[in-house]
Amino acid sequence: MKAIDFLKKMNKYEKLEKIGEGTYGMVFKAKNRENQSIVALKKVRLDDEEEGIPSSALREICLLKELKHINIVRLLDILHSDKKLILVFEYCDQDLKKYFDSCDGMIDPNIVRSFLRQLLCGLSYCHSHHVLHRDLKPQNLLINKNGELKLADFGLARAFGIPVRCYSSEVVTLWYRPPDVLFGAKIYSTSIDMWSSGCIFAEMANAGKPLFPGSDVEDELRRIFKLLGTPTESEWPEMINLPDYKHFPNYQPIANLSYVIPNLSPKGIYLLKKFLVCNPLKRISAEQALKHGYFNE
Ligand code: ADP
Ligand code: MG
């Protein structure tokens, strides 16, 4: 797009206040002057301002426009010039992290169930279209006042990669990363999002207390193994061949996860364990999880 066309298209949106700062840049609330609708503008800051937007990234982004599902934040428009990229998204009221802050103490078990179901519906849709999220966390789950939950930033990790530091120079969180990725696995599959879903499920049930708030890769893995037990070779034969594999003591699993997540029903605990399986090949899929008895309670 030529600079003048870019400005013309930008002019369609009246920028309102800043709503967030994240991995890839700043997010603003804005109004579409043509139909008065409210949208979210995400200015993607490119690592290398000189190089412009890689064409591979643009191709990926264009594909994301085709993802249409009520539990996925719609990508409405893509504005780009040589140097700048602005993504126009459907606007949502708040993110799950802010929601946690607003409800101190406890989240109604029915709301936890509803949020998890919607998270899995969105995931199942994207996974069936061969799109991974790779960076699921409460800040990337947006919610509306009517109780709808939508996944934000789908597919951006593939287009841009996940940097070590955010735009705001905050360190990108490790808390939702599965052990295979922490051990340096380079082949990503849908199982990466399923681990993150388990961590988010436990966090919702604990009213916003993260399950594995590790401070670095080693601490993150230690926390995981102390709760779930260090995987044995028969449980996960491929583990020792991963690029960054490190030996850990042989921790035994906590006998009963309900001690750690007291507000989750036995069926909920049972489902949670299927997300939190260290071997990625044995982790439950979104589609399978939706059929679990926990959702019939
Ligand atoms: P990160 O990926 O690090 O969470 P983002 O760039 O996705 O950061 O956005 C930062 C914050 O901006 C989000 O956590 C959310 O609070 C807000 N935000 C992002 N997209 C939207 C949107 N479509 N509607 C409302 N708020 C949004
Ligand atoms: Mg985000």
Side-chain angles (χ1 to χ4, degrees):
M1 203 188 306
K2 285 206 207 83
I4 180 82
D5 296 329
F6 178 75
L7 286 174
K8 230 189 257 168
K9 262 189 116 177
M10 258 317 286
N11 201 33
K12 186 166 140 188
Y13 301 99
E14 180 189 341
K15 209 197 250 179
L16 305 171
E17 73 266 20
K18 180 173 156 184
I19 42 182
E21 211 165 278
T23 315
Y24 303 105
M26 282 201 247
V27 187
F28 292 88
K29 187 172 178 175
K31 190 157 88 182
N32 182 330
R33 289 195 164 101
E34 286 169 7
N35 59 17
Q36 311 305 310
S37 65
I38 297 293
V39 296
L41 298 183
K42 179 177 250 172
K43 286 188 166 181
V44 178
R45 197 196 56 154
L46 300 158
D47 263 351
D48 196 340
E49 295 279 327
E50 298 299 300
E51 292 278 311
I53 310 146
S55 56
S56 59
L58 263 182
R59 270 198 303 276
E60 293 280 345
I61 296 294
C62 286
L63 291 175
L64 300 180
K65 250 179 111 176
E66 303 311 314
L67 293 180
K68 293 173 188 169
H69 189 274
I70 46 160
N71 300 119
I72 305 296
V73 176
R74 263 294 292 283
L75 174 56
L76 299 165
D77 206 356
I78 303 165
L79 310 176
H80 69 99
S81 64
D82 296 343
K83 298 269 159 68
K84 283 200 182 123
L85 177 61
I86 295 176
L87 305 177
V88 184
F89 288 103
E90 160 189 14
Y91 178 81
C92 299
D93 295 319
Q94 65 175 346
D95 66 48
L96 188 64
K97 194 172 179 209
K98 289 177 194 147
Y99 178 81
F100 288 156
D101 297 337
S102 71
C103 48
D104 51 350
M106 166 113 182
I107 301 175
D108 186 312
N110 292 317
I111 293 182
V112 174
R113 187 178 300 107
S114 162
F115 281 173
L116 183 67
R117 183 192 282 116
Q118 296 183 71
L119 165 60
L120 293 170
C121 284
L123 274 180
S124 158
Y125 171 83
C126 289
H127 288 173
S128 72
H129 288 77
H130 311 289
V131 181
L132 313 182
H133 193 292
R134 282 179 48 189
D135 192 26
L136 278 178
K137 53 189 172 185
Q139 296 99 302
N140 277 336
L141 301 181
L142 304 184
I143 50 183
N144 282 327
K145 291 191 188 88
N146 57 9
E148 267 175 357
L149 177 143
K150 293 170 189 270
L151 293 103
D153 289 347
F154 234 101
L156 294 192
R158 166 111 174 248
F160 303 117
I162 299 180
V164 179
R165 277 166 195 285
C166 300
Y167 174 75
S168 51
S169 79
E170 224 178 278
V171 175
V172 172
T173 184
L174 300 170
W175 301 352
Y176 307 92
R177 271 193 213 170
D180 44 310
V181 175
L182 292 165
F183 275 140
K186 294 285 165 350
I187 301 160
Y188 299 119
S189 78
T190 54
S191 63
I192 185 173
D193 293 332
M194 301 319 298
W195 178 274
S196 312
S197 301
C199 298
I200 294 167
F201 181 24
E203 188 166 334
M204 290 194 291
N206 270 344
K209 187 169 166 278
L211 186 61
F212 301 124
S215 50
D216 53 49
V217 171
E218 196 182 320
D219 182 46
E220 184 67 30
L221 282 160
R222 193 180 311 107
R223 284 168 184 267
I224 293 169
F225 297 159
K226 277 191 168 168
L227 191 73
L228 305 173
T230 309
T232 62
E233 210 180 324
S234 68
E235 280 164 348
W236 188 10
E238 298 83 3
M239 171 173 72
I240 52 169
N241 298 322
L242 290 168
D244 305 330
Y245 171 73
K246 248 194 89 207
H247 178 78
F248 279 82
N250 192 14
Y251 299 115
Q252 292 307 302
I254 299 267
N256 195 342
L257 267 187
S258 352
Y259 294 139
V260 186
I261 305 131
N263 294 322
L264 200 53
S265 67
K267 277 187 180 163
I269 295 282
Y270 200 64
L271 173 58
L272 177 64
K273 282 189 188 160
K274 294 181 183 263
F275 291 112
L276 299 178
V277 173
C278 288
N279 184 341
L281 297 173
K282 294 182 180 167
R283 230 170 272 150
I284 197 168
S285 70
E287 208 177 328
Q288 286 168 336
L290 281 167
K291 294 187 188 130
H292 195 272
Y294 167 72
F295 291 108
N296 302 325
E297 282 183 321

